[in-house]
Every structure is written in C-alpha cells, then in structure tokens.
C-alpha cells in the first residue's frame, strides 16, 4: 500500500508532489462521497516500472541511469503522459505526475488514462549522441508496456520533438514496422501534429482569457508574469503578448526580467535562443525567480516546475489569477492561503491541458493517416479549453468549491463512472 495521508499534509511533507496529489484527491473524493472501493482503486497507480539504463558515454565508459514509467490509470483508454529528463526526477514525482495526467485527461474529457516517465540525468552535461543512446535504450526497455493502445509518451521538461523522433524510431525498429502513434510531440512530417508545439501555451492563453472575462479584468493591458521560458512559459508569454496582455516579467532557471511598461517577448525569446540565458538583456531590471513570483500583476503564470508557491511565499503573491502552466507549482498548504486571500486559481490539470489535448489530436491523426491544418487544430483546441473551463466553473459554483477542487471532482467523477461500469477485475 502507498502511504495514507490525512486531509492536511504536514508542513514537513509539503513539497512531496505525490502527497500533494493524494491530499487533493482525498479531499475531492470525500466531497463526492466516493465509494470506498473506487477510492482505493483510483488512488493507486496501476503499474510502476523502474529501469536501469546502460549507456556507452562518449569517453568510452559505461554509465547506468535510473529511469521510471508510472502508469496510473487505464479506465478511459491508453495511458498518456510525458517523459522528463532531470537530475531532480524521483519516483514520487513521476507517480504524482502520472496521476495528474489521469485527472487532466478526464477534465478535458479525452479518452486517455494517465502515465508519466522520467530519467535521472543532467541533459545539459550530455552530448547529443549520449542523449540519443539514453533515449533509445530507455525506449527499448519499455517496449512491452508502451504502444498506441497501451501507453503513449510525449515531451516534458528537457525533452523535445527530437527525443520523441528517437523514441518512435526505436519502438518501430523493435516492432518491425513504423508506428508513429506510439509517441506524440513528434516533428511535423514524422506524424507530428500542426500546432502541437504551441498547444500548451495556447491553451493557457484561452483559459486566462476566460478567467479575465469571468472576473471582469480587461485582458487588454492586463499585467502578466511568467516563470519559465521553455516550451510552456515561452509560448504562453508569446501568445499572451500577441493577444494584448502586457507581459511584465519572464524568467528562466537562472534569473527573471522585469519591466512594468511591458517586455518585448519575441525579442527576448530570440535573445534566449541565441545566448541560452536571459542574463544581460538590455533595458530591463534583473530579479531572482523568488522575487519575480512576488511582484504585483493581474495574472501569475508559473511554467517551470513544482513547488514554486508554498506556505512560505503564498501570502506574498500579488495577483488576481494564478494560472498554472507547470504541473504542481502550488502546494496544498499554499492552496488554502490563496483561497483565503481570494486569488482565483486555474489549476494545472485544467490550465495546461492544451498540450495533451493536441497530443490526442496527433494520436487520432496518426491512426487515421490523415492530417489537419493548424487552423483546424487551434479551433478544436480552443473549443475544448473554453468548454472545459466553463464546465469546471459551473461545477465550482454549483458545489461551492474553488476551481482546483471542482476540477478534481469533475475528473474523479468521470473516471469513477467509467471504472464502475467496466467493473473492477478484483
Ligand atoms: P522546458 O524544459 O521546455 O522549460 C522549463 C523552463 O523552466 C526553462 O525555461 C527552465 O530554465 C525553467 N526552469 C526549470 N527549473 C526551474 C526552476 N527550478 N526555477 C525556475 N525556472 C526553472 O519544460 P516545459 O515543457 O516548458 O515544462 C514546464 C512545466 O510545464 C513542467 O512542469 C511540465 O510538466 C509542464 N507541462 C508541460 C507540457 C508540455 O507540453 N511541454 C504540458 C503540460 C505541462
């Protein structure tokens, strides 16, 4: 059995992502009066795989990396979720991220369960060839448990379309035929979908616009601060800038840039691409990541990693809307403090679901062998994100709960219904 936690996570365990997920799950399940058998079943992952991945490094020595794949739930379809390369990967983190994928797919009502993968490694210290060998061997070791009908990986932190292309190729070599639908987030032309790269950022724009309308905040000129300038942070900052929001703050892992009059986001992103750091960008103030989160704005959009808003800084956050681009950026203890201060939270499992939504479109297109243009992809994405936001908002109002609890309740309700109808093979 996995550790049981009370509704309240003690402060010493505040930053354990799995306990953060479980405490929210338990809270929502209690409000739903969830059947105890379903509660026990849905709370646990279906399968956890640890692989030890040998890689021949460029200097000739063999290094063994630790990798994980956690498949949380298959009730509504194949498991779906990214693969993360980072020295900070832990099994508890991958477990939490896998469960969040189950709830995320259910919130936006797409026919997937949840999974996540990770390898403990520092990709900034590895050559491209070493990364390719690591990716191929990890994929080969997971061959029996992934696949279009079983579990479909995608990019996450420090993984990209090149890594997805290597995963797809390795899987296809073992299967003896090309299987494009085994991963999503591939290059367009290799079975990737138009619009996938910007999908999470675009989805964040749509839900931020819906929140502004709901809260009567004029989006034109509304101040936005984005933490993280990778796929999610960079793209959401760009789309929000292009849509009339005023992006006043943006950071990478090292530092943040701030200008109350607004940042020229496209120029900053070009600078980042060229210099691989935001350091030295002219005409703006440099702040730390901690300071950036506490600067006043209308919308704060953390898009880097977990545990950025905690009980230690939640009372110093000055925004009207917290729009979660990253997975798990806010701890459960911080949730309560933000709610008491009236901050409107668009939770990760709703806010950043644009990525998995277009991954679903990619999987559908690969299986049909027929590809849509970017306009169609973006229209269908907008429809799903706006409908999902409105559905969660209605649920929150009906049940008199905040948006995170409403999202969990809606997702758990859907997974529980399908599990009950299928029956638990016990
Ligand atoms: P990425 O690797 O492209 O970018 C991460 C960014 O965060 C980089 O700018 C990096 O410098 C910064 N960063 C990393 N650690 C940091 C730290 N400790 N403090 C401050 N900044 C830090 O990753 P990504 O794909 O943009 O993912 C970011 C987050 O969004 C993750 O939580 C991921 O799980 C989540 N997410 C990603 C997708 C997707 O489609 N890529 C979809 C949904 C959710």
């Amino acid at each position: 059995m996995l550790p049981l936690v009370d509704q309240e996570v003690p402060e010493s365990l505040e930053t354990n992502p799995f306990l953060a997920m479980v405490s929210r799950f338990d809270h929502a399940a209690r409000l739903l009066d969830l059947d105890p058998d379903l509660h026990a079943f849905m709370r646990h992952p279906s399968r956890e795989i640890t692989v030890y991945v040998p890689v021949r490094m460029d200097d000739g020595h063999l290094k063994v990396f630790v990798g994980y794949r956690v498949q949380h739930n298959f009730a509504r379809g194949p498991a779906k979720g990214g693969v993360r390369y980072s020295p900070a990967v832990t099994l508890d983190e991958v477990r939490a991220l896998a469960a969040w994928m189950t709830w995320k797919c259910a919130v936006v009502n797409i026919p997937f369960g949840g999974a996540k993968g990770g390898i403990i490694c520092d990709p900034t210290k590895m050559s491209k060839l070493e990364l390719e060998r690591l990716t191929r061997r990890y994929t080969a070791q997971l061959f029996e448990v992934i696949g279009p009908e079983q579990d479909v990986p995608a990019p996450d932190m420090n993984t990209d379309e090149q890594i997805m292309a290597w995963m797809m190729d390795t899987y296809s070599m073992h299967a003896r035929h090309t299987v494009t639908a085994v991963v999503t987030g591939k290059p367009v032309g290799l079975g990737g979908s138009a619009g996938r790269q910007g999908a999470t950022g675009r989805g964040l724009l749509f839900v931020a616009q819906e929140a502004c309308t709901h809260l009567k905040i004029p989006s034109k000129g509304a101040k936005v601060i984005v933490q993280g300038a990778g796929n999610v942070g960079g793209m959401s900052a760009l789309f929000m800038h292009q849509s009339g929001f005023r992006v006043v703050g943006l950071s990478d892992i090292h530092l943040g840039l701030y200008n109350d009059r607004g940042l020229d986001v496209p120029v900053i992103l070009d600078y980042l691409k060229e210099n691989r750091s935001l350091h030295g960008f002219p005409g703006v103030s440099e702040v730390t990541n901690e300071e950036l989160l506490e600067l006043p704005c209308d919308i704060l959009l953390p898009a880097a990693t977990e545990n950025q808003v905690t009980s230690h800084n939640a009372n110093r956050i000055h925004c009207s809307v917290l729009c979660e681009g990253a997975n798990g950026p806010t701890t459960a203890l911080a949730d309560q403090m933000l709610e008491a201060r009236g901050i409107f939270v668009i939770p990760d499992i709703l806010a950043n679901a644009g990525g998995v939504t277009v991954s679903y479109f990619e999987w559908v297109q690969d299986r049909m062998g027929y590809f849509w243009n970017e306009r169609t992809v973006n229209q269908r994405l907008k429809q799903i994100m706006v409908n999902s936001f409105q559905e969660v908002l209605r649920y929150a109002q009906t049940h008199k709960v905040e948006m995170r609890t409403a999202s969990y309740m809606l997702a758990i309700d859907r997974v529980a219904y399908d599990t009950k109808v299928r029956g638990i093979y016990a």
Side-chain angles (χ1 to χ4, degrees), residues 98-172:
W100 279 325
M101 287 307 297
T102 303
W103 314 135
K104 191 181 301 183
C105 293
V107 167
V108 290
N109 214 358
I110 57 178
F112 285 140
K116 203 82 179 190
I119 303 181
I120 306 171
C121 66
D122 185 350
T124 62
K125 299 205 170 82
M126 295 172 70
S127 71
K128 195 170 174 189
L129 278 173
E130 287 169 343
L131 281 173
E132 179 175 353
R133 289 194 283 269
L134 176 70
T135 303
R136 287 188 181 281
R137 183 64 201 243
Y138 172 73
T139 308
Q141 282 175 269
L142 294 178
F143 179 72
E144 287 83 6
V145 294
I146 59 173
E149 309 295 337
Q150 290 201 76
D151 178 359
V152 185
D156 192 70
M157 276 176 81
N158 297 322
T159 56
D160 57 13
E161 59 176 30
Q162 174 62 77
I163 287 177
M164 293 307 112
W166 290 329
M167 288 190 86
M168 187 275 272
D169 182 70
T170 309
Y171 185 90
S172 299

Side-chain angles (χ1 to χ4, degrees), residues 84 156-158 196 200 229-232 253 289 303-304 325-327 352:
R84 175 175 291 198
D156 192 70
M157 276 176 81
N158 297 322
R196 171 61 182 89
T200 311
N231 177 278
V232 179
I253 192 165
N289 259 295
N327 287 309
N352 70 33

Side-chain angles (χ1 to χ4, degrees), residues 118-271:
I119 303 181
I120 306 171
C121 66
D122 185 350
T124 62
K125 299 205 170 82
M126 295 172 70
S127 71
K128 195 170 174 189
L129 278 173
E130 287 169 343
L131 281 173
E132 179 175 353
R133 289 194 283 269
L134 176 70
T135 303
R136 287 188 181 281
R137 183 64 201 243
Y138 172 73
T139 308
Q141 282 175 269
L142 294 178
F143 179 72
E144 287 83 6
V145 294
I146 59 173
E149 309 295 337
Q150 290 201 76
D151 178 359
V152 185
D156 192 70
M157 276 176 81
N158 297 322
T159 56
D160 57 13
E161 59 176 30
Q162 174 62 77
I163 287 177
M164 293 307 112
W166 290 329
M167 288 190 86
M168 187 275 272
D169 182 70
T170 309
Y171 185 90
S172 299
M173 289 296 118
H174 285 264
R176 297 284 189 252
H177 60 106
T178 296
V179 187
T180 53
V182 63
V183 291
T184 59
K186 300 177 294 294
V188 175
L190 265 190
S193 175
R196 171 61 182 89
Q197 220 172 359
T200 311
R202 205 176 285 281
L204 284 156
L205 165 71
F206 296 145
V207 294
Q209 285 173 327
E210 290 302 297
C212 283
T213 306
H214 168 63
L215 298 171
K216 301 192 172 47
I217 299 171
S219 63
K220 191 122 198 92
K223 287 188 194 178
V224 180
I225 291 179
V226 180
Q227 184 199 37
N231 177 278
V232 179
M235 296 306 255
S236 51
L238 182 65
F239 294 141
M240 293 186 88
H241 171 82
Q242 289 169 345
S243 304
F245 288 86
R246 185 168 13 145
V247 179
V248 295
L250 181 64
S251 72
D252 67 5
I253 192 165
H254 304 294
L255 82 158
L257 304 180
Y258 181 77
N259 185 342
D260 192 55
R261 292 197 311 273
L263 299 170
D264 192 342
V265 177
V267 176
I268 293 176
L269 293 179
D270 283 345
Y271 181 91

Side-chain angles (χ1 to χ4, degrees), residues 285-296:
S285 314
E286 290 191 357
V287 294
T288 64
N289 259 295
E290 293 71 33
E291 290 165 341
L292 185 91
L293 293 174
E294 297 175 13
L295 289 165

